[in-house]
Amino acid sequence: MLVAAAVAAAILAWFLERTRFGTAVRAVAQDPEAAHLHGISLGTVARFNCDLGAALSAAVGILVAPLQEADAEVGPAVGVPCRGRRMLRWRAPGRPSTRRGAAACRASRSGTGAARRGSPPSGGT
């Protein structure tokens, strides 16, 4: 993994220092307005930077994945048992999984829950 990281860093450094597009990337990073006046497409450089970041992230994921242990309980509310025939209940992250949690969430958003606790409702002046 360390060898792959060193090779990727060396290739990236070579690319940024020795190629014409690498010079354009550095120019946009230093002064976007001046780079645009010199005819460098800011959108193209931005897309390249985004794609490069995604590729490097994917490479890290590929290199680190064999070192990680698989866990079925990753994330909130994955595989939460519920009543009835359904074995699993799936919900969006950040959403309460119980009726009591949903009521508390609505109360906190509307300010009524805060007023009951003795503090001023949010958004008030």
Side-chain angles (χ1 to χ4, degrees):
M1 192 168 18
L2 292 174
V3 172
V7 169
I11 290 172
L12 186 60
W14 174 83
F15 173 78
L16 290 173
E17 293 292 326
R18 304 287 179 173
T19 64
R20 186 175 175 150
F21 195 75
T23 304
V25 169
R26 288 186 293 127
V28 169
Q30 287 181 354
D31 191 355
E33 187 176 338
H36 181 67
L37 292 174
H38 280 279
I40 298 172
S41 172
L42 301 179
T44 301
V45 171
R47 279 190 299 278
F48 171 78
N49 288 338
C50 185
D51 293 342
L52 179 64
L56 290 174
S57 297
V60 167
I62 290 169
L63 290 172
V64 172
L67 304 175
Q68 300 298 313
E69 185 176 315
D71 186 8
E73 298 280 329
V74 175
V78 174
V80 175
C82 65
R83 291 181 236 126
R85 292 183 180 178
R86 292 183 295 175
M87 296 299 292
L88 299 175
R89 177 153 111 198
W90 301 95
R91 64 179 178 84
R95 300 283 311 259
S97 61
T98 63
R99 289 184 186 193
R100 184 183 308 160
C105 185
R106 280 192 301 274
S108 68
R109 287 184 185 153
S110 66
T112 58
R116 273 188 265 142
R117 288 189 297 273
S119 59
S122 61
T125 54

